[in-house]
Amino acid sequence: MKISKLNTPLLLGVVMATFSLFVSCKSDKKEDSYAKKTKIEETNSNGIAISDAEMERGSALYFDRCAGCHGSSRKGATGPHLLPVKPEGSDKPGTLEFGADGLKAFIVNGTAAGMPEWKGILTEEEIELMTRFLQVDPPAIPPYEMDEMTASWKLIIPVAKRPTKPQHKRNIDNYFGVIMRDAGKVAIIDGDTKKELAVLKTGFAVHILRTSASGRYIYSVGRDGRITMIDTYTDVPSIVAEVKGGFDARSVEVSKFKGYEDKYLVFGGYSPSHIAIFDAQTLEPLSITPTAGNACDGDKEFIEEARVAAIVASHTDPVWICNIKERGIVAIVDYTDPRNPKITEIPAARFLHDGGWDSTGHYFLVAANASNKIVVIDVPNKKLVTIIETGKMPHPGRGTNIKNKLGNLWVTSHLGENKLSFIKTNPGPGQWTVVKEIKATGNGGGALFVKSHPKSKHLWVDRTLNPDAKLNSSVDVFDTDTLELVANIPAPEGVDGRAVHFEYNKAGNEVWVSYFMGKKSAIVIYNDKTLKVKQIIQGDWVENPTGKFNVYNTTHDIY
Ligand code: DHE
């Protein structure tokens, strides 16, 4: 079969975001994954020759590289389904229809709609294995229960042995946690001196960091489902506890409501799909709540793979907001009884991905990227406010808040098109509508993150997944008053790769940008006023940096 024949049906469904494909082979391997438990006699091979050992390797490869977008059970999410036979209601052919040659063409060449080329990332032999693995029925996702979770728990430094106050004079509020994704490490950098204080081994492809309500602890979570807890009070920041909340995850958050500071931590499982709650001082597991259920739109199908995407913690109530991706449900999780959390489900839209607070911390806005919408939730009242159509595949990160003559505006970028949408959040005419749309430099989508700061007059935008190297290696800066483009800033000399994600320092006068997936990784720090480079952080330990989280801004949800 020729690639041109394959393109139409499958490409329609493939969207801009098979990002996990980029995770380098150098990554720290998962020490244990669901792959180990998959055996061919437990699945239907559909006549494809594949041994148990190959099944295990195929599962591991799929899990690490493809599951993020296509789902662990291969039913599709951000990317299309990869099931042998077309499921009912889908317009996309099954993998058996494509056959080994067809699947190989996709894997080798990528797709025009955003799936990158695998050639050079996977070996020939791995690609060949995947063409067979994808034609076999997907293995069931094994359970991951409390006993296994508890067995994985390591309390490295008990609370009683930790210092009661900082053992140094540095300003923890201006520390940055920076993810070195492909090294499986997190660097803690002093934002005042720009010196790395520690580069800690945290696990396979860490995805995000969050800080405790007091700002003392930094927690990481990644594609091996491992949570790592870092104490900033010690002179050299140190890991004090670890636990595995599941096989795969993208989010973690802490309790931030008054009286619950630094008490509980929530983990959002991609695989298995569940919400797990831990003691935030020790990471002792407290409860697991599966998220499977029906979809938001009344579809009768019971969705087993109902992954937990973005999580935020309310400052006004003792709740977390957990977004159940495939079901399109916003779950408000009351943590006052953490062993038996009360969950209010708000049907919204599919598939929920990432989002953040408006400037008041009362409303939460989240992207339903498969339906091109932004969902607005009134958190204290546990109510859906509205669902707003913005553009192709909104991808805000946590979004960002700016203020100008149009009002208080929450901003999202889009993966699927060149558009920045500004949603008015304050009361009055136009509230909860898109009051302005603008374009970034050049053509096409690929934007992943936007960022501003209450003290800044600038809005920063990346184009990480745009195929044009000029665009994906530069960042745009807009004036928040006029919304005019102020600058398109290319990668500085000596730096290359794709620009991704922004973070301000505590004072709101510096912007940190990561450069990854190139030969010269770096964290580039700009003066937010002059837009000139202030410092470039490079070195052996700076390996494909991605997300950066300033302690003060993360603790107080400043974005
Ligand atoms: Fe992310 C946030 C999921 C690919 C970097 N990413 C998130 C969140 C989710 C998510 C659910 C929101 C967490 C929260 O706020 O609680 N990301 C996914 C995926 O499923 C996806 C599409 C594919 C995958 O397999 O992981 C994916 N993400 C990527 C990347 O390829 C990026 C660019 C680099 C990487 O880590 O591989 C990437 N995602 C990030 C970052 C954030 C994030 C830096 C945090 C943004 C913030 O400011 O909060």
Side-chain angles (χ1 to χ4, degrees):
M1 219 185 281
K2 285 203 182 103
I3 184 74
S4 56
K5 258 188 159 178
L6 297 173
N7 277 349
T8 324
L10 198 53
L11 290 192
L12 281 175
V14 180
V15 276
M16 292 294 296
T18 311
F19 329 7
S20 55
L21 305 184
F22 295 124
V23 178
S24 133
C25 306
K26 276 165 46 189
S27 275
D28 227 23
K29 276 284 127 203
K30 292 179 190 178
E31 67 276 6
D32 115 6
S33 87
Y34 89 132
K36 291 212 169 113
K37 307 183 180 182
T38 56
K39 290 220 180 329
I40 188 60
E41 62 262 29
E42 289 157 14
T43 50
N44 179 356
S45 70
N46 297 316
I48 304 295
I50 190 161
S51 67
D52 276 352
E54 287 176 324
M55 207 43 207
E56 195 178 296
R57 268 198 76 221
S59 289
L61 275 172
Y62 178 84
F63 198 78
D64 289 351
R65 316 270 185 173
C66 323
C69 290
H70 298 279
S72 303
S73 50
R74 305 205 331 235
K75 288 187 180 161
T78 316
H81 81 80
L82 292 173
L83 296 170
V85 178
K86 181 171 102 158
E88 207 180 316
S90 171
D91 58 348
K92 292 163 195 112
T95 51
L96 285 165
E97 272 187 63
F98 293 122
D101 289 350
L103 292 168
K104 184 173 175 188
F106 276 120
I107 300 170
V108 167
N109 301 317
T111 70
M115 183 169 112
E117 301 170 11
W118 280 89
K119 203 172 41 193
I121 302 174
L122 289 180
T123 64
E124 288 265 321
E125 183 263 328
E126 286 172 331
I127 292 173
E128 192 281 326
L129 171 60
M130 288 314 280
T131 64
R132 284 182 290 132
F133 174 78
L134 292 177
Q135 294 182 76
V136 173
D137 280 1
I141 300 165
Y144 186 74
E145 286 164 2
M146 191 49 106
D147 51 352
E148 213 170 328
M149 199 182 277
T150 306
S152 76
W153 174 41
K154 289 185 204 145
L155 182 57
I156 298 159
I157 313 281
V159 179
K161 295 210 166 136
R162 295 180 200 160
T164 51
K165 46 183 204 294
Q167 303 295 289
H168 54 81
K169 298 238 154 53
R170 290 179 223 109
N171 173 17
I172 293 174
D173 272 355
N174 203 31
Y175 275 18
F176 284 70
V178 182
I179 296 167
M180 300 296 152
R181 188 194 63 178
D182 292 27
K185 291 180 181 159
V186 167
I188 308 297
I189 302 178
D190 180 348
D192 291 345
T193 61
K194 319 285 188 273
K195 292 264 176 305
E196 76 278 14
L197 302 172
V199 183
L200 302 163
K201 220 159 183 259
T202 43
F204 178 78
V206 168
H207 211 79
I208 70 156
L209 308 180
R210 291 286 183 258
T211 51
S212 65
S214 68
R216 170 177 184 166
Y217 296 110
I218 297 174
Y219 302 90
S220 72
V221 75
R223 291 192 177 98
D224 56 2
R226 184 159 128 200
I227 308 166
T228 304
M229 176 176 182
I230 301 166
D231 188 1
T232 60
Y233 272 15
T234 44
D235 186 30
V236 176
S238 51
I239 295 175
V240 291
E242 275 174 11
V243 69
K244 208 167 146 65
F247 301 120
D248 189 13
R250 297 291 180 281
S251 192
V252 76
E253 195 34 298
V254 294
S255 51
K256 290 188 174 172
F257 185 57
K258 206 165 181 302
Y260 291 89
E261 295 94 335
D262 291 17
K263 266 201 145 158
Y264 305 124
L265 175 137
V266 64
F267 163 96
Y270 253 31
S271 180
S273 301
H274 63 211
I275 290 167
I277 301 181
F278 299 82
D279 180 322
Q281 292 287 324
T282 62
L283 294 187
E284 180 188 2
L286 300 178
S287 66
I288 299 177
T289 308
T291 46
N294 292 97
C296 57
D297 46 19
D299 188 329
K300 290 208 183 68
E301 190 200 359
F302 185 82
I303 301 175
E304 287 287 352
E305 186 170 12
R307 298 180 289 177
V308 183
I311 306 180
V312 292
S314 168
H315 296 260
T316 61
D317 295 88
V319 298
W320 293 299
I321 295 84
C322 297
N323 295 275
I324 317 299
K325 188 189 271 290
E326 283 79 2
R327 292 178 57 207
I329 296 283
V330 178
I332 305 212
V333 180
D334 180 325
Y335 51 69
T336 49
D337 181 2
R339 290 183 193 272
N340 190 19
K342 198 169 136 224
I343 300 183
T344 308
E345 291 199 348
I346 302 177
R350 296 205 244 184
F351 293 122
L352 297 176
H353 191 73
D354 50 354
W357 293 105
D358 82 319
S359 59
T360 66
H362 184 111
Y363 298 99
F364 170 69
L365 295 95
V366 59
N369 59 20
S371 43
N372 304 328
K373 291 176 178 131
I374 295 288
V375 171
V376 184
I377 302 289
D378 172 344
V379 172
N381 294 307
K382 299 187 177 153
K383 271 198 345 221
L384 174 73
V385 176
T386 188
I387 299 180
I388 307 161
E389 188 106 20
T390 61
K392 267 197 200 156
M393 284 203 76
H395 193 288
R398 282 169 289 168
T400 196
N401 290 287
I402 64 167
K403 195 175 174 177
N404 62 25
K405 60 180 186 306
L406 297 171
N408 295 345
L409 310 174
W410 183 87
V411 190
T412 185
S413 44
H414 293 82
L415 257 171
E417 65 177 306
N418 184 0
K419 190 197 272 186
L420 294 167
S421 300
F422 298 80
I423 295 172
K424 181 174 166 182
T425 60
N426 56 310
Q431 189 187 23
W432 306 129
T433 65
V434 174
V435 290
K436 181 85 181 170
E437 287 174 349
I438 58 172
K439 277 183 188 300
T441 305
N443 296 316
L448 289 182
F449 300 108
V450 286
K451 190 77 86 183
S452 189
H453 185 280
K455 292 199 182 131
S456 170
K457 282 285 159 209
H458 287 142
L459 166 68
W460 294 69
V461 183
D462 64 24
R463 299 290 281 291
T464 316
L465 292 189
N466 191 292
D468 180 342
K470 259 201 185 131
L471 295 181
N472 68 40
S473 62
S474 63
V475 294
D476 277 349
V477 184
F478 293 86
D479 182 309
T480 52
D481 283 331
T482 61
L483 302 184
E484 298 290 333
L485 182 73
V486 179
N488 171 256
I489 309 177
E493 226 177 85
V495 172
D496 75 6
R498 295 181 186 226
V500 71
H501 197 248
F502 308 97
E503 180 61 305
Y504 274 83
N505 61 341
K506 185 188 172 200
N509 56 17
E510 277 174 7
V511 176
W512 294 36
V513 185
S514 301
Y515 275 84
F516 80 143
M517 289 174 57
K519 291 203 175 74
K520 297 170 194 157
S521 291
I523 303 155
V524 181
I525 304 173
Y526 291 94
N527 178 321
D528 182 57
K529 262 221 168 84
T530 63
L531 306 184
K532 297 257 178 312
V533 174
K534 200 164 172 183
Q535 191 160 334
I536 298 177
I537 303 182
Q538 278 175 314
D540 291 351
W541 59 276
V542 184
E543 215 179 312
N544 280 332
T546 52
K548 303 157 294 300
F549 300 85
N550 172 272
V551 167
Y552 187 85
N553 295 338
T554 310
T555 303
H556 298 276
D557 289 283
I558 295 173
Y559 44 80

